[in-house]
Amino acid sequence: MSGGTFAARTRGCMRERILEVLRRYWGYDSFLPLQEHAMACVMRGTESVVVLPTGGGKSLCYQAPAVTLPGMALVVSPLISLMKDQVDSLVECGVPAARLDSSLSAEEQGAVRSRVRARELKLLYVSPERLMTDGFLDLLRGAAPSFIAVDEAHCVSMWGHDFRPEYRQLGALKEALPGVCLHAYTATATQQVRDDIARQLRLTEARMLVGLFDRPNLAYKVERRANVLEQVRAALDRHRGDSGIVYCIRRADVDNLCQRLGELGYRVRPYHAGLDDATRKRNQEAFIREEVETIVATVAFGMGIDKSNVRYVIHAGMPKSPEHYQQESGRAGRDGLEAECTLFYSAGDFTTWSRLLSEMEPEAKAVAQAKLADMYNYCTGVTCRHQALVRYFGQELAAARGARAAEGCGACDVCLGDLDCLDESLETAQGVLLCVTELEQRFGADYTAQVLLGSRDQRVVDNGHTSLPSYGLLAAHTRRLVRDWLEQLVAQGYLCKTEDYHVLRLTEKAQQVLAGEETPRLLKPAAGASRAERTGKPKTSKTAKESWDGVDAGLFEALRALRRDLAADKGVPAYVVFGDAALRDMARLKPTTATAFLLVHGVGEKKRQQYGDVFLAAIRNYATTAAGGHR
Ligand code: ADP
Ligand code: MG
Ligand code: ZN
């Protein structure tokens, strides 16, 4: 007999069983971070709240155990489109799954009920309002579910950004189905919402599993908005043929931008709450089925879209909080492959949002204003975007990346040296710091900017500050720019603001700047196009290079066209057939036999049976035509 405790052996055995399921049904051979832990909780019957960023692989945390455990698991999900997507994907992988929601006819619902009674299903998806009805609870008691997964669990919390009153009913679930273990899944990062989820669902003993929020495969870029149409076009042109989303703040902006892009030959569709249901649905489907590449939308578009191969998310306007930005940009690259998140902002966006927020209740308004200011600081900031975002959510990039963090993230405009920095950053920063010193560290950023700009404001005159050596030092620049520089110095830790009055103070690091030993990064004023555009192609991020390694791009395109046709025939989204990662692996490995096909990332038994022949034929065909072309 081998060594090790019994517990360790059963753990090893459970791990093997799950891995076997992952290989067989999904064609994956390893876990994403925290998945193994989260699955172990489900297998062992320890309640859990799992917090992983968008694309972190939350669905598999309950789907794989559901397949492994005897009986049927129940999944609560807030949107019909989400349920449909997941059920379609599961069925494609060969997992018996179904959903019960109001979009099904009475007959279809009856059929699903019979399948539940006949114990044919491994997973049943249901909306919260349906779940809490007497009839349904009776059906469930008969079926004795193996466990219940509550997806998008932040919908239960008023503090979340997407509260749904129906989710509140789930608080009664533990009493209604005693003894059934509950697990909650969300991408919401704030502590308050996490705690609220546990409280609302009465998960007193739950394990709290919180993943890292960094998304290394996303390349972040921020640019000041100048000519938005040209800027958006430049970003779209970097991703010809790829799927992506362009977000605008207002509906009118959506319509306008969409029309102009359409006239220029881009395949785009609009999406916002002002369009009727049928149009919205049609446009969404066209995007999901890859009949069009790009959707131009307000934030109304997104939740319920699990499309895994979104290769870019462009913000034509600034979102109102880092939470919103994390969520919206997070829709890119769910498949773990490289994707680009570009944000165009202007000071006007800040004003627009401020005005919109002004009607809120005082308390909520203060929170929203602070988040808006954080968002603006992110835009004008000059620290690594990955670092800035995870820090906002209370994490450190170094924790996620270990020693490599010091090299820079390799996937943001700051770390790739793509920022347009002022040539005279040092002199300018020294001037600003001198001004703060001359003001005896007793004034805020607005006032300091006025002095630097040489303002004739009454307060400046009365204070006698017109005679300071730094008075008017930056008079050649705009107020906005000087204000931004002040914030950039704060963000890089050369200045800090006191908590109460936001008075500017020098930090220790400031001394090094004054001594000329260290140069802060100060951004140049907007000049229309970014350096990346003026100097040609932007630098490619590290993930981009790795995931295209050895991939035959021509074959990839051919397989993508095949996927689109197959998906259209079956009436399912393209990525339900195969994800981009699977297609790239095919175009890399170029398998010629069924056995080799099974080695492709994302190919399990069922998919091989269904699609092996047709994809192998396409690969063979490509090889012969390519060879023919060389003759
Ligand atoms: P979330 O719900 O957390 O946003 P999803 O469950 O939609 O994330 O998963 C995101 C993507 O990651 C999907 O394309 C999924 O198939 C893929 N994925 C999940 N787990 C794994 C794994 N262990 N190996 C490879 N890919 C995975
Ligand atoms: Mg999900
Ligand atoms: Zn970076």
Side-chain angles (χ1 to χ4, degrees):
M1 212 169 111
S2 66
T5 62
F6 177 71
R9 283 202 308 279
T10 43
R11 203 157 49 230
C13 166
M14 185 169 78
R15 185 171 196 272
E16 278 314 308
R17 274 163 63 206
I18 292 212
L19 276 174
E20 171 56 29
V21 163
L22 280 190
R23 268 190 292 267
R24 175 126 63 99
Y25 293 93
W26 281 274
Y28 297 151
D29 44 22
S30 57
F31 298 103
L32 295 180
L34 225 66
Q35 271 184 335
E36 186 180 357
H37 237 77
M39 290 182 195
C41 284
V42 180
M43 295 297 291
R44 256 192 260 118
T46 311
E47 290 184 328
S48 61
V49 176
V50 177
V51 186
L52 280 172
T54 308
K58 288 183 288 296
S59 345
L60 226 62
C61 294
Y62 53 83
Q63 290 170 343
V67 173
T68 315
L69 288 168
M72 177 194 85
L74 188 75
V75 184
V76 185
S77 180
L79 288 180
I80 292 176
S81 57
L82 269 182
M83 291 194 248
K84 186 169 181 305
D85 221 51
Q86 294 212 4
V87 170
D88 285 349
S89 295
L90 285 166
V91 171
E92 279 291 298
C93 292
V95 177
R99 67 194 159 97
L100 265 180
D101 61 57
S102 53
S103 76
L104 301 180
S105 68
E107 215 173 14
E108 290 169 317
Q109 295 192 24
V112 173
R113 283 168 196 273
S114 311
R115 292 184 73 193
V116 173
R117 281 191 213 95
R119 309 205 168 223
E120 284 174 25
L121 296 174
K122 290 311 289 181
L123 288 118
L124 177 65
Y125 283 71
V126 65
S127 57
E129 58 273 27
R130 171 71 45 128
L131 169 58
M132 298 314 283
T133 58
D134 286 339
F136 191 76
L137 286 169
D138 283 342
L139 176 73
L140 277 186
R141 286 185 198 107
S146 49
F147 66 92
I148 300 175
V150 180
D151 205 359
E152 311 289 349
H154 55 275
C155 294
V156 81
S157 172
M158 284 220 319
W159 308 109
H161 50 270
D162 201 17
F163 174 55
R164 291 181 179 243
E166 321 85 78
Y167 256 64
R168 272 292 151 85
Q169 303 172 28
L170 296 176
L173 202 52
K174 287 196 69 169
E175 256 167 45
L177 293 168
V180 182
C181 202
L182 223 63
H183 303 275
Y185 302 85
T186 180
T188 300
T190 65
Q191 185 72 41
Q192 190 180 32
V193 177
R194 282 175 212 161
D195 293 344
D196 204 27
I197 291 171
R199 191 163 48 241
Q200 298 293 340
L201 295 176
R202 316 214 183 132
L203 299 173
T204 41
E205 310 271 298
R207 285 290 306 276
M208 185 71 75
L209 299 176
V210 183
L212 291 167
F213 270 78
D214 185 36
R215 298 276 311 275
N217 61 316
L218 302 188
Y220 298 106
K221 294 180 200 300
V222 182
E223 276 177 40
R224 211 186 283 259
R225 195 165 62 238
N227 179 341
V228 73
L229 182 63
E230 287 310 313
Q231 286 172 304
V232 169
R233 280 183 71 184
L236 290 178
D237 291 345
R238 290 199 284 270
H239 299 276
R240 281 274 156 168
D242 286 341
S243 293
I245 309 171
V246 181
Y247 280 113
C248 300
I249 300 179
R250 280 165 302 241
R251 294 174 194 178
D253 300 337
V254 169
D255 291 333
N256 193 352
L257 187 59
C258 196
Q259 193 195 338
R260 291 165 75 183
L261 288 172
E263 285 161 7
L264 289 165
Y266 293 88
R267 300 204 300 163
V268 293
R269 291 277 177 91
Y271 190 104
H272 57 67
L275 299 169
D276 61 80
D277 279 356
T279 309
R280 272 210 314 255
K281 189 153 177 257
R282 205 168 49 239
N283 292 353
Q284 174 171 328
E285 299 258 293
F287 176 66
I288 286 180
R289 299 206 179 138
E290 304 194 353
E291 292 155 22
V292 298
E293 275 96 35
T294 312
I295 207 102
V296 183
T298 60
V299 293
F301 182 79
M303 174 124 152
I305 312 292
D306 264 0
K307 188 168 166 53
S308 66
N309 62 340
V310 172
R311 295 268 74 85
Y312 55 90
V313 170
I314 300 168
H315 278 78
M318 184 183 78
K320 63 179 164 181
S321 75
E323 278 93 341
H324 284 87
Y325 187 59
Q326 164 92 358
Q327 190 164 41
E328 287 150 28
S329 63
R331 294 188 177 120
R334 273 174 188 251
D335 50 14
L337 300 178
E338 87 293 341
E340 188 183 293
C341 302
T342 308
L343 167 51
F344 302 115
Y345 75 100
S346 81
D349 295 341
F350 184 91
T351 325
T352 304
W353 282 121
S354 288
R355 219 176 22 243
L356 290 172
L357 298 179
S358 65
E359 282 148 35
M360 292 173 81
E361 300 285 315
E363 210 179 331
K365 188 169 77 185
V367 175
Q369 281 287 1
K371 287 181 193 287
L372 178 60
D374 288 332
M375 189 64 227
Y376 192 70
N377 284 343
Y378 172 83
C379 294
T380 54
V382 284
T383 38
C384 168
R385 310 289 177 194
H386 284 269
Q387 173 70 282
L389 280 174
V390 299
R391 204 171 263 169
Y392 180 83
F393 293 112
Q395 298 182 344
E396 281 294 316
L397 201 60
R401 307 215 174 164
R404 282 181 303 144
E407 299 166 12
C409 76
C412 84
D413 49 359
V414 178
C415 295
L416 290 172
D418 212 10
L419 285 189
D420 245 344
C421 282
L422 210 60
D423 293 332
E424 21 350 293
S425 283
L426 180 62
E427 295 77 0
T428 309
Q430 285 175 333
V432 172
L433 298 179
L434 273 175
C435 182
V436 174
T437 315
E438 288 167 3
L439 291 172
E440 296 170 339
Q441 310 189 56
R442 284 171 43 229
F443 292 85
D446 282 328
Y447 188 87
T448 308
Q450 284 190 324
V451 173
L452 283 163
L453 288 160
S455 157
R456 301 296 305 172
D457 186 85
Q458 200 58 48
R459 251 180 92 210
V460 178
V461 176
D462 290 350
N463 286 336
H465 288 151
T466 47
S467 58
L468 293 178
S470 60
Y471 178 81
L473 201 63
L474 301 179
H477 304 284
T478 64
R479 199 190 85 83
R480 190 70 257 168
L481 187 63
V482 174
R483 273 301 271 113
D484 285 352
W485 285 338
L486 281 163
E487 294 303 332
Q488 287 160 20
L489 290 171
V490 172
Q492 292 170 83
Y494 298 108
L495 286 173
C496 61
K497 293 179 183 174
T498 57
E499 272 190 17
D500 39 1
Y501 299 110
H502 295 284
V503 166
L504 290 178
R505 296 262 163 83
L506 300 183
T507 64
E508 269 180 45
K509 268 175 84 179
Q511 301 311 324
Q512 282 151 285
V513 177
L514 290 168
E517 290 159 4
E518 197 169 313
T519 305
R521 282 184 292 229
L522 297 181
L523 292 185
K524 256 190 198 158
S530 76
R531 199 180 88 182
E533 282 152 37
R534 287 199 307 275
T535 56
K537 270 194 97 69
K539 295 179 192 165
T540 320
S541 68
K542 209 159 66 195
T543 347
K545 282 178 207 141
E546 278 164 14
S547 58
W548 280 107
D549 241 11
V551 176
D552 183 324
L555 178 55
F556 175 75
E557 286 308 323
L559 297 177
R560 194 152 78 152
L562 173 62
R563 171 179 72 178
R564 187 164 48 232
D565 293 345
L566 288 170
D569 285 349
K570 298 188 90 167
V572 295
Y575 56 89
V576 165
V577 175
F578 279 121
D580 276 13
L583 291 194
R584 279 192 205 173
D585 211 29
M586 274 178 222
R588 185 185 291 121
L589 301 175
K590 303 184 181 174
T592 51
T593 65
T595 321
F597 193 67
L598 203 52
L599 294 178
V600 171
H601 176 86
V603 177
E605 276 300 342
K606 178 76 191 264
K607 292 249 168 123
R608 176 177 68 169
Q609 275 170 29
Q610 277 198 87
Y611 300 116
D613 290 342
V614 53
F615 275 88
L616 284 169
I619 293 167
R620 233 175 285 125
N621 186 32
Y622 178 82
T624 35
T625 31
H630 287 303
R631 246 183 264 143

